[in-house]
């Protein structure tokens, strides 16, 4: 980044810090040496995304991260404040269902498959010595062999999982959301077109995440309590047990319903508050709610563990319709979210908005699908391990296995893959056609060069492939719609037949029956393979730093946004990085009375824009932006129009002193900012040539590489634009400082490396 292996950290810590060249470390003490050159600094934030090996575990939180993105994808709107609030509430409810789904999957594995089915089946418990003390036959009627006590003991597993999620969220909350933003006054004449990222409290989510965490922790504990208590209460009602136990069960069920309503109320009552820095923690919600639900769980475990000599476990655990209920609620929430998004989009139609404003609902649907695949994959693999090679639904299977709905959902995966392959084929054909068009353009751009067909085809292929990024909305929209339809079909099939697909289609014509059995077997294999692949990838990332950096790049976009829909999502690194940059820029300009250029590559350009928005108007006017390989419009402007739409980016261009953006047609991530009117040419440099030379030349005697998204500094245009920005800033500052400045040089330059690695 700094072009020198000798660097020194001047401020920051091991997680994120600002560096200078060693020769520039004492620039403030030698102002005469920096009259005609800037002081270059680099802000390195790789520790916020790739970090240590424990970050690989964030892969398990992928559905939560995707759901959180849906919150920020709402369309731009004019007015419609009530609809905006409804949109936020719906996304938060989708996030809540994902937490309940995860804990329910843990309950399915620990309570149903292990403690209820396997421990209650002699043939299964005999082969597993560690389950012997829970089996009535193996233990000879031991104290733990009663079903209620087995469930109470097994409930410690999902309860511990909920506690682990709370701990991880609290730990990252202290490290990320607690970073103090730079103090600023809210502007009285705030531009309505300015992005919400400029508000004082946008990057300080500590109180809100604390409330979210309390609500989701309470929901997880109540889910575990319901799995235990409702099974015991159903037995007490059906078996005509003691009136005291029957009454206690009814009271506990009422308490669980009331607790669920309180959780939903807490979640819906209030959204994020970013107009000011809100430092108030709601102690009643943050502390009392989780502890109260923990007490309810303890009472439920005590109730279920009461002596019931005649209770015998058979079949599946009562309440296996939970997964169907969660799926139904998720589908209804996604449809309601689509209606709210459509209303918002119609109030302010932006042609650049992805999927006509339905990007948020589509991404929320994919988050639900990811959660179902992960939870179903765990249950299917544990079920296969416990019952050996038996096929779910077979009459001779030792165990009933997971809920029927999970088998139906697995059977839909091959159909979804067929659709994805067809879409890939369509996009492949479109790419071939575009490559032919690009070949003609390449020949025109390098008309003075000796034609070389393989070289021309290679350049055209890279350009055509890079353009596939612009087709992502169509792919995501189609996959989300098909996923919703297939999910509805799986739910209908499970509820109407009550059998797995292979058994339900046993009496159908040969082709249909064979297709159902094939889809069930193939889907079970695929969901298991996907789960194993997922775990293997996480294990490799835990051990391999390079693989961890690859995952870190994935988090660059996913964890840029604050946790507004799910508190168990990976933490928002921007809540540390943006205040870091803002503090550095503001304090430097105040100390030196100078101006600065902040340059950012890829995701670093997004951080640069976010930090510039956080500055006061006076400081912001002394900042120049140099962005390259920037996804500000191509990704953020299309998918997050309410915050990075054309109006917001135009306002940013007018508020900073100057802004230039470099891009290449071979770059699959970065692109032009695309502002309208006179702002467009003022910001976007014409597309850079890539490669710099078509064939061998005096300057490039060896073949010039196709750089794509990397090494923008290798292009001469980078130095030219950088120097032009410096020259534009320097005269005004020199005039303000006088002929002989007593401070270090009037200009400072930040620099930034590759995507997800560092920013300045």
């Amino acid at each position: 980044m700094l072009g020198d292996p000798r660097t020194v950290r001047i401020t920051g810590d091991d997680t994120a810090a600002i560096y200078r060249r060693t020769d520039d470390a004492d620039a403030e003490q030698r102002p005469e040496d920096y009259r005609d050159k800037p002081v270059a600094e680099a802000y390195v934030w790789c520790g916020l995304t790739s970090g240590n090996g424990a970050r690989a575990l964030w892969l398990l939180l992928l559905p939560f991260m995707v759901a959180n993105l849906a919150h920020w994808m709402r369309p731009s709107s004019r007015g419609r404040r009530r609809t905006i609030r409804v949109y936020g509430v719906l996304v938060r409810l989708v996030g809540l269902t994902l937490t309940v789904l995860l804990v329910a999957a843990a309950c399915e594995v620990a309570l149903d498959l292990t403690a209820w089915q396997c421990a209650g089946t002699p043939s299964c418990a005999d082969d597993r010595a560690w389950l012997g003390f829970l089996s009535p036959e193996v233990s000879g009627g031991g104290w733990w062999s009663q079903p209620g006590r087995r469930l109470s003991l097994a409930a410690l597993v999902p309860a511990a999982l909920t506690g682990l999620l709370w701990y991880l969220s609290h730990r990252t909350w202290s490290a990320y959301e607690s970073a103090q933003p730079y103090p600023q006054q809210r502007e009285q004449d705030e531009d309505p077109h300015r992005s919400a990222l400029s508000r004082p409290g946008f990057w300080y989510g500590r109180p809100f995440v604390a409330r979210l965490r309390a609500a989701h922790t309470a929901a997880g504990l109540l889910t575990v309590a319901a799995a235990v208590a409702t099974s015991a209460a159903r037995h007490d009602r059906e078996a005509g047990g003691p009136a005291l136990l029957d009454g206690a069960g009814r009271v506990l069920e009422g308490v669980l319903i009331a607790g669920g309503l309180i959780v939903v109320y807490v979640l819906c009552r209030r959204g994020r508050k970013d107009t000011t820095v809100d430092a108030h923690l709601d102690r009643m919600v943050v502390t009392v709610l989780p502890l109260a639900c923990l007490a309810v769980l303890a009472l439920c475990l005590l109730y279920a563990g009461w002596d019931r000599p005649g209770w015998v476990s058979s079949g599946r655990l009562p309440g296996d319709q939970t997964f169907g209920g969660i799926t139904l609620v998720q589908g209804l929430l996604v449809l309601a979210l689509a209606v709210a998004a459509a209303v918002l989009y119609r109030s302010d139609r932006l042609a650049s908005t992805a999927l006509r404003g339905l990007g948020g609902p589509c991404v929320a649907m994919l988050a639900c699908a990811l959660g179902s695949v992960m939870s179903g994959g765990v249950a299917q693999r544990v079920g296969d391990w416990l019952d050996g090679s038996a096929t779910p639904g077979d009459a001779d299977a030792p165990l009933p296995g997971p809920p029927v709905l999970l088998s139906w959902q697995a059977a839909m995966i091959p159909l979804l893959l067929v659709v994805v392959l067809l879409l890939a084929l369509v996009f492949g054909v479109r790419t071939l056609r575009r490559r032919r068009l690009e070949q003609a353009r390449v020949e025109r751009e390098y008309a003075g060069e000796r034609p070389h067909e393989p070289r021309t085809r290679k350049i055209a292929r890279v350009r055509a492939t890079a353009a596939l990024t612009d087709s992502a909305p169509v792919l995501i929209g189609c996959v989300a719609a098909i996923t919703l339809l297939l999910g509805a079909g799986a739910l209908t099939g499970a509820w109407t037949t009550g059998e797995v697909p292979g058994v339900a289609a046993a009496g159908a014509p040969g082709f249909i029956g064979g297709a159902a059995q094939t889809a069930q077997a193939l889907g079970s294999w695929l969901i298991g393979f996907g789960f194993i692949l997922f775990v293997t990838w996480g294990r490799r990332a835990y051990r391999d730093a390079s693989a961890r950096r690859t995952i870190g790049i994935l988090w660059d976009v996913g964890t840029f946004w604050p946790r507004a829909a799910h508190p168990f999502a990976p933490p928002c690194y921007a809540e540390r990085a943006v205040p870091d940059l803002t503090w550095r820029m503001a304090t430097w300009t105040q100390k030196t009375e100078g101006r600065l250029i902040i340059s950012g590559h890829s995701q670093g350009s997004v951080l640069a824009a976010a930090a510039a928005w956080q500055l006061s108007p006076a400081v912001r006017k002394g900042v120049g932006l140099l962005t390259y390989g920037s996804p500000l419009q191509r990704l953020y402007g299309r998918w997050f129009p309410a915050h990075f739409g054309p109006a917001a980016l135009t306002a940013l261009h007018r508020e900073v002193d100057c802004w230039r953006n470099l891009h290449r047609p071979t770059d699959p991530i970065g692109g032009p900012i695309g502002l309208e009117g006179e702002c467009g040419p003022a910001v976007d440099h014409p597309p850079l040539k890539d490669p710099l030379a078509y064939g061998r030349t005096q300057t490039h005697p060896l073949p010039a590489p196709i750089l794509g998204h990397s090494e923008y500094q290798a292009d001469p245009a980078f130095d030219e634009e950088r120097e032009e920005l410096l020259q534009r800033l320097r005269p005004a500052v020199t005039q303000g400082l006088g002929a002989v400045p007593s401070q270090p040089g009037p200009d400072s330059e930040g620099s930034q490396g590759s995507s997800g690695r560092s920013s300045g």
Side-chain angles (χ1 to χ4, degrees), residues 119-121 132-142 145-147 150 311-313:
T121 304
F133 75 103
L134 296 178
S135 172
E137 289 77 9
V138 176
S139 66
S145 62
Q146 289 193 16
R150 300 201 308 257
W311 193 7
V312 178
S313 62

Side-chain angles (χ1 to χ4, degrees), residues 467-663:
L468 282 175
T469 303
D470 301 322
S471 302
V474 177
L475 177 62
I476 291 177
C478 291
V479 171
I482 296 299
T483 300
L484 180 63
L485 294 176
L486 291 179
L491 185 61
T492 302
W495 279 2
T496 56
T497 65
E499 301 287 349
V500 297
V503 176
F511 174 77
I512 297 178
Q517 293 178 354
T518 302
Q520 176 182 326
L522 185 59
S524 178
W525 182 85
L526 286 173
I527 200 171
F529 175 76
F531 176 73
I532 294 173
L533 185 64
F534 201 75
V535 173
T536 303
W537 190 20
R539 184 172 178 269
R540 180 181 171 223
Y542 182 82
R543 295 185 172 186
D544 185 359
S546 62
R548 193 159 60 249
R549 283 192 296 269
T550 302
I551 296 175
I553 294 174
L554 172 64
W555 297 146
D556 280 358
V557 176
T559 61
F560 169 78
W561 296 99
R563 293 186 275 198
H566 208 296
F568 299 152
C572 167
Y573 66 87
E575 289 191 301
R576 163 71 190 272
V578 172
D580 280 358
L581 287 171
T582 307
W583 274 90
R584 182 55 182 164
M585 289 192 290
T587 54
W588 193 92
T589 53
Q590 290 175 3
K591 180 179 180 180
T592 64
E593 300 181 14
R595 298 188 178 189
L596 58 87
I597 293 173
I598 176 168
S599 67
H601 171 243
S602 192
Q603 190 68 14
S605 67
V606 183
L607 286 178
W613 264 314
Q614 284 286 300
L615 296 170
S616 64
V619 177
R620 193 184 303 132
K621 196 59 183 175
V623 172
L625 283 178
L626 177 59
T627 57
Y628 40 102
S630 172
L632 273 171
Q633 194 283 329
R634 195 175 191 181
L635 173 61
Y636 284 84
R638 300 180 69 189
W639 290 99
F640 308 99
H643 305 284
F644 285 94
L649 294 178
T650 300
L652 177 64
H653 171 251
R654 291 171 178 167
E655 291 167 355
V656 297
D657 186 279
C658 45
W659 182 7
R660 290 295 279 170
N661 178 66
L662 309 178
H663 60 97

Side-chain angles (χ1 to χ4, degrees), residues 20-41:
R20 283 183 183 175
R21 300 183 183 96
T22 303
D23 295 340
D24 296 336
D26 58 346
E28 285 79 1
Q29 284 71 46
R30 297 182 291 113
E32 66 279 357
D33 295 340
Y34 295 90
R35 293 177 181 271
D36 300 319
K37 65 178 181 179
V39 180
E41 296 182 351

Side-chain angles (χ1 to χ4, degrees), residues 241-264:
L244 181 60
L245 285 180
D246 187 17
R250 295 179 186 276
V251 170
L252 285 176
E253 287 180 332
V255 171
L256 290 173
I257 293 174
L261 294 176
I262 291 174
V263 168
V264 172

Side-chain angles (χ1 to χ4, degrees), residues 702-726:
L702 299 181
I706 301 176
L707 300 176
H709 186 59
S710 62
E711 298 186 41
Y712 272 82
Q713 295 92 332
D715 196 298
F718 180 87
D719 289 333
E720 294 171 3
E721 293 296 334
R722 171 181 171 274
E723 184 59 29
E724 184 175 339
L725 292 177
L726 287 171

